[in-house]
Amino acid sequence: MILTVTLNTALDITYRVPSLKPHASHRVSEVTVRPGGKGINAARVLAALGHEVTVTGFAGGATGRELRDRLASQAPGVVDALVPVAGATRRTTAVVDARTGDTTQFNEPGPVVGPAEWATLQDVYKELLGSVSAVALCGSLPPGLPVGAYAGLIRTARAAGVPVLLDTSGEALRRGVAARPDIIKPNAAELAELTGSHEPLRAAQDARRRGARAVVASLGADGLLAHTPDGIWRAAPPARVQGNPTGAGDSVVAGLLSALAENLPWPDRLARAAALSTATVLSPAAGEFDRQAYEKLLGQVAVTAEVNAA
Ligand SMILES: O=P(O)(O)OC[C@@]1(O)O[C@H](CO)[C@@H](O)[C@@H]1O
């Protein structure tokens, strides 16, 4: 069983408009609503790959109810261990410009989580850790939670002997890295913010020095860069694809955990993660991927070892 934690879950709304223009009124040609937030997206991909997966995090209000209903109906195989909160789960809106293919994202802050709710979440998490082989901690923190929330969850996972992956940003990432997670999965901007370096290889090395055991950086169309105790690799998909990139990073997380659960070596983990990520861009909504494209891409991702010159 794999566990994903999304402290700031979201009802994900995707609007498709013919052409997005600031200051203009738009007719939305297509609306997609999905249970979301980064860990929930990763869990949906893991379940589609055939893994047993449980999600925890917070859900509250009418949006939280809708999220849970949709999880039951749209995410078969994902076990719901979400913790109720008094505040309402946020909505996040992605607007896809059909002309350019560009996506613009609006993320609400999320409900204020109180100390008693946070304590309940930590109890549920500790109990779940007893029956999982790996855990991913994903996304932003809702207001009210301590900025070291993920760092605490990482320490708990380490004490339980469960491999832990962290995918967050800003100060939560900085504190989390210091708690020594097994893997972090920043994008280029998050890695640069953490380390002050815009050179991904140097930045990944620095992030490891700060405490991450392995770093897998998602570099958009340039694919993945992995800096690990076993070596350094780049994984590049065969070509740049057009589509909705929302959730592409969550599919990297799913690919890494899926291959970790099967005990695959790093190059195979990276090939799976890069293929899933690209296949997610080709599907209309986060948490979903084009299976045919994924299977084709798996054999086409180029994974190359890099010599560490630093
Ligand atoms: O505010 P966060 O937690 O950083 O990001 C939230 C979010 O934009 O990330 C996912 C795509 O990765 C969406 O499903 C979700 O709504």
Side-chain angles (χ1 to χ4, degrees):
M1 173 79 78
I2 295 171
L3 174 65
T4 74
V5 179
T6 313
L7 295 178
N8 210 359
T9 56
L11 197 58
D12 266 356
I13 297 155
T14 307
Y15 282 166
R16 197 174 165 82
V17 297
S19 174
L20 182 65
K21 293 188 198 80
H23 319 299
S25 166
H26 297 81
R27 297 273 167 210
V28 175
S29 50
E30 205 179 295
V31 183
T32 313
V33 183
R34 293 285 184 272
K38 295 190 189 310
I40 291 198
N41 295 338
R44 290 167 58 215
V45 171
L46 281 162
L49 290 172
H51 292 278
E52 288 185 8
V53 55
T54 297
V55 294
T56 192
F58 297 107
T63 34
R65 259 194 311 280
E66 182 170 354
L67 179 135
R68 297 184 87 160
D69 288 349
R70 286 183 180 274
L71 203 52
S73 62
Q74 295 177 333
V78 175
V79 178
D80 175 348
L82 293 166
V83 170
V85 271
T89 294
R90 65 180 171 156
R91 287 155 305 187
T92 59
T93 305
V95 182
V96 181
D97 180 324
R99 189 175 54 88
T100 62
D102 293 333
T103 302
T104 307
Q105 184 83 25
F106 299 88
N107 290 350
E108 294 180 7
V112 176
V113 176
E117 294 165 334
W118 173 223
T120 305
L121 185 290
Q122 290 172 86
D123 289 345
V124 167
Y125 173 74
K126 215 177 261 179
E127 195 170 327
L128 287 167
L129 283 179
S131 53
V132 303
S133 60
V135 57
L137 310 174
C138 306
S140 60
L141 295 176
L145 285 192
V147 71
Y150 281 132
L153 297 182
I154 289 166
R155 280 187 222 103
T156 310
R158 283 174 52 84
V162 176
V164 54
L165 181 154
L166 177 65
D167 180 14
T168 188
S169 56
E171 191 56 25
L173 174 61
R174 185 179 307 281
R175 304 271 185 115
V177 165
R180 311 189 78 77
D182 293 276
I183 307 174
I184 59 167
K185 195 230 56 74
N187 61 28
E190 290 161 351
L191 188 59
E193 192 192 346
L194 173 69
T195 62
S197 168
H198 288 270
E199 205 290 292
L201 186 58
R202 179 170 305 173
Q205 188 165 33
D206 183 31
R208 287 192 61 206
R209 241 184 261 121
R210 288 165 189 261
R213 194 167 148 73
V215 177
V216 178
S218 48
L219 306 176
D222 289 339
L224 305 176
L225 167 68
H227 204 304
T228 83
D230 300 336
I232 303 170
W233 289 273
R234 286 184 193 269
R240 183 183 287 259
V241 295
Q242 271 265 341
N244 177 6
T246 318
D250 310 332
S251 290
V252 171
V253 170
L256 293 174
L257 289 185
S258 157
L260 177 72
E262 290 170 31
N263 251 323
L264 297 180
W266 273 105
D268 294 339
R269 294 187 206 177
L270 297 169
R272 186 174 293 186
L276 270 177
S277 173
T278 307
T280 297
V281 176
L282 293 170
S283 92
E288 287 158 25
F289 61 96
D290 179 326
R291 188 173 287 271
Q292 250 191 336
Y294 164 61
E295 278 160 13
K296 195 163 161 210
L297 282 159
L298 252 186
Q300 298 177 335
V301 173
V303 182
T304 48
E306 184 131 339
V307 181
N308 189 5

